[in-house]
Amino acid sequence: MMKLSELGEFGLIDVIQRIAEKSRNPRYDSWRQLLVGIGDDAAAWQSGNYIQLATTDTLVQDIHFDLSVISWRELGWKAMAVNLSDIAAMGGIPEYALISLALPGELEVEDISAFCQGMIELADKFEVAIAGGNLASSPNVVITITVTGRSKDNRILKRSTAIPGEQIAVTGFLGLSAAGLKMLQEKAKLDDETINILRQAHLRPTPRIKEGQLLLQQGVNAAIDISDGLVADLDHLCQASKVNAKIEIDKVPVHPSVKANFPDYQELALSGGEEYELVFTADKVTMEKVKRALDCPVSVIGEITDENLPARVTLVNSKGNTVTPTKAGWEHFKNEVPKTKVA
Amino acid sequence: MMKLSELGEFGLIDVIQRIAEKSRNPRYDSWRQLLVGIGDDAAAWQSGNYIQLATTDTLVQDIHFDLSVISWRELGWKAMAVNLSDIAAMGGIPEYALISLALPGELEVEDISAFCQGMIELADKFEVAIAGGNLASSPNVVITITVTGRSKDNRILKRSTAIPGEQIAVTGFLGLSAAGLKMLQEKAKLDDETINILRQAHLRPTPRIKEGQLLLQQGVNAAIDISDGLVADLDHLCQASKVNAKIEIDKVPVHPSVKANFPDYQELALSGGEEYELVFTADKVTMEKVKRALDCPVSVIGEITDENLPARVTLVNSKGNTVTPTKAGWEHFKNEVPKTKVA
């Protein structure tokens, strides 16, 4: 007998994936048309001449969010953002959202209204319609949003398509969300502009929907969004693609506000979760096209390799020496201590 | 300031529906193609020449289930059944499931495997593929399953299409699930066959997928599944259709095992939730065709009317006198006392 806390989140995903795979039946239309099952950012299946996408994410009170630092309106926005980011990581067009709320009866109606306002504010930005959901009473707040979407043409980004020799790049700057949480938890005194940037990054992230679609258009095939942390999510991508990755830590684009105010900025950028930036891989020529096509910064931070390295993701400093990350990414069941996801 | 427990589940659905409707934007493809939004068993939108369906349901530990009476395998089956029943109520073909599990780290891996086995056992029966999901740690077990599906042709069953003059009918027998829960909670001593029937009904219900599709084929337009209780769910259907209903309580098909063993059998059949039978409306000619087409019992229990009655659902006895139900259906936030959904 083994407990979930011993096996960990990713071990349990493997167990469930094996059970689901065993039930795969090629005589069923559903299984035959399934293109991406358990183990990517979103599920994908063929539906006529486009690909249908669906993703679901749960936020649990005191595990993913702390109501003493996040407002209900921000929570609504964030719960939607987390799901839209999974559609972004597939390069898809989000379409519909189903909202499942498990809530204590003593909550105020006004707070839930504010939650819905925040959620819809972001949904509207990306033309997503709220199509339905479910309400249930519960001792603690548990929010599950499911977002469906579709491919623009008949192609999607996947985790499993990275190829040795490709460059690895990220959109935007890293470390912001983790620094934002740290600031909120430690009530750090920073200048107003920094507070604003960090708060926004942690509580009101904007998923890279347009960027995901542009990546596909420019010929990129492999991507993942950063929800568990750069190194952890790149590890997921490498595992799915059966390749290794080498990252030059000095090339990781740490945001100036993080660098200036947090001595542990490198750790925040490498291991901080909930960034909702995209990590992707592409050959040199495609990468140049991507840099021109995207409005946001695109930083090449390393390369995909089939070299036999000690870890799937190896970090090297400017001198070419291997460095060991001081902190792993987030893993549910194993990390039970922190009050919110990015500790 | 009002608490959810004062407003109740259905009041909160109204609030959320209003907020979502206000954000409706006919310039967006998503909103334009949405056929059924918040307030039916499943969401529905046009997708090429068929209708796409999606539904989500959450089961919360100690609200919807009690791990001292339900096994993990049964829980997996039931969590899937609840969602498939919503697709059945739309007359749809279920296709894919996304599984979101919020779980305490101290749970055994074996138990979660058993849960998945139970869930997949039922999914496989209806050719549903497990396409993805999400795992998170949580102090209590919260299970959210989302099932997508599609219409066979370009038609679906809805709550909002009942017409005055139509007959009201139900599939199967009622009272079984509520009697099953009562038996399990009170550790009632019954004969083995009865125990078996009641246990099965409460813990391993089979959604009426085939029946829902056949109803559509025979020309039925309006249906709902019984998850909150016959009277409560018929009330939802009447509200959506802006009609009233008259039920002859003596025609409600109480299962013989319930009648023989539970003095309050009528209450169990009228108010017991989690039956997962279908209530539907149709004209006389269509109803006769339905009776011939379906393998299960079909009982006409009353009729839809536009008479101005004191309640949306009026119960009459064999003498034609109005009777008042002793118990309302389940409503989240308002019913906080019982340990499981059917008290």
Side-chain angles (χ1 to χ4, degrees), chain A residues 100-161:
Chain A
S100 197
L101 303 177
L103 305 167
E106 70 264 23
L107 287 180
E108 305 284 350
V109 177
E110 264 181 38
D111 288 338
I112 305 309
S113 294
F115 172 88
C116 291
Q117 298 286 2
M119 186 180 73
I120 284 172
E121 197 183 341
L122 181 59
D124 187 66
K125 224 175 142 81
F126 292 109
E127 310 194 358
V128 171
I130 310 298
N134 185 72
L135 292 174
S137 32
S138 167
N140 58 336
V141 179
V142 181
I143 300 155
T144 303
I145 296 185
T146 301
V147 172
T148 68
R150 56 188 290 169
S151 62
K152 204 162 180 177
D153 305 311
N154 201 6
R155 284 176 58 228
I156 49 172
L157 298 168
K158 294 190 213 176
R159 293 184 181 185
S160 58
T161 41

Side-chain angles (χ1 to χ4, degrees), chain B residues 26-331:
Chain B
R27 285 183 300 117
Y28 298 168
D29 286 348
S30 56
W31 278 114
R32 214 168 36 237
Q33 283 156 9
L34 186 65
L35 302 172
V36 179
I38 296 171
D40 209 310
D41 291 291
W45 57 89
Q46 197 65 45
S47 179
N49 46 15
Y50 66 89
I51 297 167
Q52 181 79 41
L53 299 167
T55 182
T56 189
D57 261 301
T58 294
L59 301 186
V60 180
Q61 183 175 5
D62 293 339
I63 301 285
H64 296 88
F65 60 90
D66 179 344
L67 286 168
S68 72
V69 302
I70 193 167
S71 73
W72 280 99
R73 195 179 181 111
E74 288 164 334
L75 183 59
W77 173 289
K78 189 160 178 177
M80 182 57 71
V82 169
N83 279 280
L84 291 182
S85 183
D86 285 327
I87 300 290
M90 312 296 280
I93 303 165
E95 297 184 301
Y96 297 97
L98 301 179
I99 318 304
S100 196
L101 303 177
L103 305 167
E106 70 264 22
L107 288 181
E108 304 285 349
V109 176
E110 263 183 38
D111 288 337
I112 305 308
S113 295
F115 172 88
C116 291
Q117 298 285 2
M119 186 179 72
I120 284 171
E121 197 183 340
L122 181 59
D124 187 66
K125 222 175 145 81
F126 293 107
E127 309 194 358
V128 171
I130 310 297
N134 185 73
L135 292 174
S137 32
S138 167
N140 59 335
V141 179
V142 181
I143 300 156
T144 303
I145 296 186
T146 301
V147 172
T148 68
R150 56 187 291 168
S151 62
K152 206 163 180 175
D153 306 309
N154 201 6
R155 283 177 58 229
I156 49 173
L157 297 168
K158 294 190 211 177
R159 294 185 180 184
S160 59
T161 42
I163 296 170
E166 283 184 331
Q167 295 184 328
I168 302 166
V170 290
T171 59
F173 291 107
L174 299 184
L176 281 167
S177 178
L181 177 63
K182 208 168 174 177
M183 172 189 79
L184 291 166
Q185 283 181 330
E186 298 175 0
K187 299 193 170 60
K189 287 211 171 72
L190 302 167
D191 63 280
D192 285 356
E193 201 202 321
T194 305
I195 290 176
N196 231 327
I197 293 172
L198 297 186
R199 225 192 128 80
Q200 186 87 3
H202 184 62
L203 302 175
R204 273 175 67 96
T206 298
R208 296 286 193 187
I209 292 288
K210 288 276 141 53
E211 291 79 4
Q213 292 167 12
L214 285 170
L215 288 183
L216 256 185
Q217 238 173 63
Q218 301 304 321
V220 175
N221 291 309
I224 189 169
D225 72 327
I226 304 182
S227 52
D228 295 330
L230 171 65
V231 174
D233 286 308
L234 192 54
D235 187 81
H236 301 329
L237 182 139
C238 286
Q239 185 178 20
S241 295
K242 300 188 179 72
V243 295
N244 291 322
K246 227 187 239 173
I247 298 298
E248 295 178 57
I249 53 173
D250 293 337
K251 292 191 175 165
V252 172
V254 185
H255 193 276
S257 299
V258 179
K259 220 167 189 164
N261 295 291
F262 297 83
D264 57 344
Y265 65 85
Q266 201 148 57
E267 189 181 297
L268 294 174
L270 291 170
S271 321
E274 306 191 298
E275 298 276 2
Y276 305 116
E277 296 293 348
L278 300 179
V279 192
F280 59 97
T281 71
D283 60 61
K284 249 181 166 166
V285 177
T286 305
M287 197 60 86
E288 287 311 309
K289 290 201 286 177
V290 165
K291 284 181 185 167
R292 283 193 296 272
L294 266 61
D295 286 333
C296 70
V298 170
S299 311
V300 173
I301 59 170
E303 61 166 2
I304 297 293
T305 168
D306 51 7
E307 272 179 65
N308 206 347
L309 298 170
R312 266 198 296 262
V313 178
T314 301
L315 306 178
V316 293
N317 62 20
S318 55
K319 292 171 193 139
N321 298 327
T322 303
V323 291
T324 312
T326 48
K327 230 170 121 187
W330 176 265
E331 180 165 7

Side-chain angles (χ1 to χ4, degrees), chain A residues 1-13 331-337, chain B residues 103-110 112 135-138:
Chain A
M1 300 288 262
M2 191 189 240
K3 293 194 184 305
L4 300 190
S5 53
E6 297 165 66
L7 182 64
E9 178 185 358
F10 304 113
L12 185 58
I13 291 176
E331 181 165 6
H332 277 290
F333 310 125
K334 287 199 168 174
N335 310 48
E336 296 283 2
V337 190
Chain B
L103 305 167
E106 70 264 22
L107 288 181
E108 304 285 349
V109 176
E110 263 183 38
I112 305 308
L135 292 174
S137 32
S138 167

